[in-house]
Amino acid sequence: MLTLHREVRMPTPPAGRCKAPLRIDAHQHFWRYRSEDYPWIGAGMDLLAQDRLPYQFQPLLEAQGLHASITVQARQGRDETAFLLEMARRDKRIAGIIGWEDLSAPDLAEQMERWGRHKLLGLRHQLQEHDDANTLLTPAPLDQGVRWLQERSYTLDVLAHERHLPQLRQFCARHDQHWVVLNHLGKPALKEFRKGRAAFERWRQELRELTAMPHVACKISGLLTEADWLRGLCTRDFEHIVQCLDTALDLFGPQRLMFGSDWPVCLLAASYSRVVTVVREWSATRLCPSDQDALWGESSARIYGLLT
């Protein structure tokens, strides 16, 4: 049974649009770049190998009619959480952050208390670099940490590949007291979609079993960079992305879906405006106005405990 959400003060829409629904980008990143801190930024990623800070992002957000964002950790370490919280304190358009903390640490409670509740909405657990998800999802200290987190209405984001979804399903079944948010639709192997339907059907089946649990939500983010962006995106790639979005809508429904750009990582494949446009054009043909409101902000506000 899901616990009640806490209140976090949100920015109000611009003057003249006070009655407009709140629009939130539920997944983006900031960093001050040092190569040793971001080893995952490799060859061909020059757009990422530089500082990426709020002054660069906020004009893009506003140009698309979005009012706020949720900033997500991009590396492990307590200094990452401290850095993001400082960004959030300075900029009201950062609605909150998803930070990093060792969920298995014996001092988890003490450290979370030191961070405080202001704008720290939850933590992210990263699986994507590991082949054996069991080693990262089954330790007893981890279970204790996640229970502590959920009992206090912190949301847990999970960054996982399709191959991790069976183990993640078991993990989510053990931890159903608050929201677990799957990032990037479980990273479907879009590069393989060009070879036939087998990759799509495999991902869809794994995702279906995960979505049967009502406390699991999902961000439709990071899809363009799962395609073969080094070769350049083609019409078929966008058709596959729409296929993934349709599947997400079918399995999660609009009340458990959130738009996220994955800026600046998305820049490897497309501009911020292009990322927004793909989802905007898709949602306009699939969703009624109230369900569009859910996708573009209301679901994020509800799941992350943001109250205007």
Side-chain angles (χ1 to χ4, degrees), residues 31 33-35 41-42 45-52:
W31 56 66
Y33 180 72
R34 295 193 309 169
S35 59
I41 297 179
M45 298 184 181
D46 293 347
L47 283 169
L48 307 186
Q50 56 186 282
D51 291 354
R52 289 296 181 178

Side-chain angles (χ1 to χ4, degrees), residues 62-77:
E62 294 171 3
Q64 296 302 317
L66 305 178
H67 307 133
S69 68
I70 294 172
T71 305
V72 181
Q73 59 87 221
R75 64 187 180 96
Q76 299 184 33

Side-chain angles (χ1 to χ4, degrees), residues 179 217 252-258 290-291 294-295 298-299 302-303:
W179 293 103
F252 282 99
Q255 301 303 317
R256 289 191 288 156
L257 289 181
M258 297 171 275
S290 62
D291 286 345
L295 175 72
E298 289 181 1
S299 293
R302 173 170 48 85
I303 288 166

Side-chain angles (χ1 to χ4, degrees), residues 19 21 46 60 63 69 82 108 120 139 249 253 275 283 287:
K19 295 182 180 180
D46 293 347
L60 305 176
S69 68
L108 173 66
L120 180 57
L249 180 60
V275 172
S283 63
L287 302 176

